[in-house]
């Protein structure tokens, strides 16, 4: 398997995350405009949940692109660690939210 | 100028186009791989737990949804949940492969191969979840 293949998939996934991020932002702004719920920082969490991994994935993709140098591959591995930690935070937040919604429906 | 460690051969791919399968990892790089692999395994396990919990919730909710709404429910909820579950499995597998890079029980090619499937699943999941919102957005912004 060539590094370029992984990079292509990373780019595709990045695009999906960015698209999802924007899809979340649009209804959020609509909600704020309509004034149906008060604007809170809490509302921005879903946006961050989409856009943060996207940003990390962009960096990861840049590291893997033309990564014929070992330095870039090492840099890619470090960014992969950041990606895993960011995703872990988001997943734990998701589990906590789900658990709270079950306890206090 | 930084001094090169003679006991630490660089992870350099073969001549020509880079192929992850040709890359051998030693010393500090192997430790870096093991460290990254640990986080990937933890995150992958969390994904699996989240996927199972989410599926259980949906199975309960699905009983109350009928007709056309149930089809959308399956596409926008159940499929993304299965994708989340699978993405966790792939991330754990990628972590296992990456952890074994230093000892020869895993390869970077296997790690990145599994990572590719994880990224596909994890990228597709939120897009499916937001499908029902498209109608709603069209109503808000006619």
């Amino acid at each position: 398997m060539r590094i370029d293949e992984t990079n292509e998939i990373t780019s595709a996934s990045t695009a999906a995350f960015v698209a999802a991020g924007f899809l979340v932002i649009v209804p959020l702004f609509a909600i704020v405009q309509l004034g149906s719920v008060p604007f809170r920082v809490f509302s921005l969490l879903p946006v961050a949940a989409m856009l943060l991994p996207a940003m990390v994935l962009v960096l990861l993709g840049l590291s893997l692109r033309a990564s014929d140098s070992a330095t870039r591959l090492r840099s890619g591995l470090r960014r992969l660690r950041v990606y895993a930690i960011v995703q872990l935070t988001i997943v734990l937040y998701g589990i906590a939210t789900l658990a709270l919604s079950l306890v206090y429906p | 100028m930084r001094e090169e460690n003679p006991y630490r051969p660089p992870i350099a791919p073969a001549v020509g186009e880079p192929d992850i399968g040709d890359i051998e990892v030693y010393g500090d790089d192997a430790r870096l791989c093991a460290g990254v692999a640990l986080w990937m395994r933890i995150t992958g396990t969390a994904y699996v737990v989240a996927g199972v919990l989410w599926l259980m919730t949906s199975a309960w909710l699905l009983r109350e949804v009928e007709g056309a709404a149930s089809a959308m429910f399956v596409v926008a909820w159940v499929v993304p949940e299965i994708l989340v579950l699978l993405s966790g499995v792939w991330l754990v597998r990628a972590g296992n492969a990456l952890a074994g890079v230093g000892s020869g029980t895993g390869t970077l090619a296997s790690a990145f191969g599994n990572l590719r499937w994880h990224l596909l699943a994890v990228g597709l999941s939120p897009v499916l979840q937001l499908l029902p919102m498209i109608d709603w957005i069209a109503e808000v912004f006619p």
Side-chain angles (χ1 to χ4, degrees):
Chain A
M1 189 185 76
R2 305 210 170 278
I3 292 175
D4 287 350
E5 289 176 32
T6 307
N7 181 43
E8 281 168 22
I9 295 300
T10 311
S11 306
S13 191
T14 303
F17 267 113
V18 171
F22 279 107
L23 275 173
V24 176
I25 286 173
V26 172
L28 263 181
F29 275 106
I31 289 168
V32 173
Q33 269 194 330
L34 293 172
S36 54
V37 290
F39 182 78
R40 288 176 296 185
V41 178
F42 185 77
S43 310
L44 289 173
L45 280 172
V47 181
M50 298 292 171
L51 292 182
L52 261 180
M55 284 191 286
V56 179
L57 280 175
V58 168
L59 294 176
L60 180 64
L62 289 176
S63 297
L64 293 175
R65 180 172 295 165
S67 54
D68 49 348
S69 83
T71 313
R72 279 178 184 241
L73 192 54
R74 285 191 197 107
S75 158
L77 284 169
R78 290 196 187 96
R79 281 164 184 173
L80 198 54
R81 180 170 53 195
V82 175
Y83 167 77
I85 294 170
V86 167
Q87 288 291 65
L88 179 65
T89 313
I90 291 163
V91 171
L92 289 179
Y93 166 74
I95 291 174
T97 313
L98 192 64
L100 281 175
S101 68
L102 290 175
V103 176
Y104 303 104
Chain B
M1 188 180 159
R2 212 178 76 176
E3 198 175 322
E4 285 295 326
N5 180 356
Y7 301 104
R8 182 173 171 262
I11 44 172
V15 177
E17 281 193 42
D19 189 325
I20 299 179
D22 294 338
I23 300 172
E24 292 184 9
V25 182
Y26 303 96
D28 288 351
D29 294 324
R31 276 191 287 278
L32 171 65
C33 284
V36 175
L38 177 68
W39 281 108
M40 287 166 79
R41 283 161 157 178
I42 294 170
T43 306
T45 309
Y47 259 102
V48 173
V49 172
V52 170
L53 278 175
W54 206 7
L55 268 173
M56 283 165 63
T57 317
S58 287
W60 182 66
L61 286 173
L62 195 58
R63 293 180 309 178
E64 297 173 11
V65 186
E66 290 175 357
S70 67
M72 180 54 96
F73 185 81
V74 168
V75 172
W77 282 89
V78 180
V79 174
E81 287 156 14
I82 294 168
L83 284 175
V84 164
L85 184 64
L86 286 175
S87 71
V89 173
W90 278 314
L91 195 58
V92 171
R93 282 167 63 100
N96 287 342
L98 199 60
V101 160
S103 60
T105 54
T107 60
L108 280 177
S110 168
F112 277 91
N114 280 303
L115 182 69
R116 183 168 61 172
W117 287 110
H118 160 79
L119 291 174
L120 265 180
V122 100
L124 196 59
S125 177
V127 174
L128 287 174
Q129 282 173 58
L130 293 168
L131 276 181
M133 277 196 179
I134 292 173
D135 285 344
W136 187 75
I137 292 167
E139 280 173 22
V140 177
F141 298 103

